[in-house]
Amino acid sequence: MSSLHDLLEQGIYSTEKFLERSQVLADKIASAEGNLAKLKDKLREEKARDESKTNIIPNVERVLEVYSSTDDPKFKNDLLKEVLEKVVYTKTQRAQRGHLENLDNFDLAIYPKLPK
C-alpha cells in the first residue's frame, strides 16, 4: 500500500487508477486474512484431533477397568457414553421359550467416539 501511495504522489497513477489498485490490494489482503483464519481453525482442529487420539486409549482402558467393578446400571451407562457414540441392536428372529440356541441371534453395531 505504501508503494501505491508513492506512485500516486509521483503522478504515475491517476486518482482513478489509485482507487482501482487500492481496492484490488484491499481485496487481496482481506482474502489472505480470511485464508489465514481458516488455516488457524484447521490447525486448532488438527491439534485437538491429535490430542483426542492420544487420550482415547487410556480413556477406554479406564472405562473397562471401572465398568466391572460396579453394579450400578446408571454409572455403567455413563461410563459407556464416555467412549461410545451409539450402539445399534438388531434382532430379526424372536427367541422361543426353551430354545437356548436362538438367544444369540442378533447383530450389535458399536460406534465408538473417535476423533473426526
Side-chain angles (χ1 to χ4, degrees):
M1 290 297 274
S2 178
S3 297
L4 187 63
H5 288 104
D6 289 344
L7 292 172
L8 177 66
E9 291 170 359
Q10 294 171 6
I12 297 174
Y13 275 179
S14 65
T15 306
E16 293 83 21
K17 189 67 169 177
F18 169 79
L19 292 174
E20 179 185 320
R21 292 291 299 150
S22 177
Q23 184 60 45
V24 168
L25 288 175
D27 290 345
K28 285 183 179 180
I29 291 170
S31 175
E33 288 174 345
N35 288 338
L36 179 63
K38 287 179 185 176
L39 289 173
K40 284 182 179 180
D41 286 344
K42 282 186 178 181
L43 180 61
R44 237 180 279 116
E45 288 175 7
E46 285 297 322
K47 285 182 179 179
R49 189 175 294 125
D50 285 344
E51 183 179 317
S52 179
K53 284 180 184 178
T54 59
N55 292 338
I56 194 163
I57 292 173
N59 195 17
V60 170
E61 287 174 344
R62 183 190 62 79
V63 167
L64 290 174
E65 288 173 10
V66 176
Y67 188 84
S68 60
S69 68
T70 183
D71 290 330
D72 182 16
K74 180 171 179 5
F75 183 65
K76 284 185 170 185
N77 193 33
D78 291 340
L79 282 173
L80 290 174
K81 285 181 180 180
E82 288 181 22
V83 294
L84 298 177
E85 192 71 38
K86 66 180 179 177
V87 177
V88 178
Y89 168 87
T90 308
K91 185 162 176 96
T92 55
Q93 290 182 340
R94 279 185 78 166
Q96 297 176 359
R97 288 185 193 193
H99 294 90
L100 297 177
E101 63 273 357
N102 288 335
L103 291 178
D104 61 352
N105 189 8
F106 62 90
D107 291 322
L108 192 64
I110 299 173
Y111 299 88
K113 285 186 179 178
L114 297 175
K116 298 178 181 178

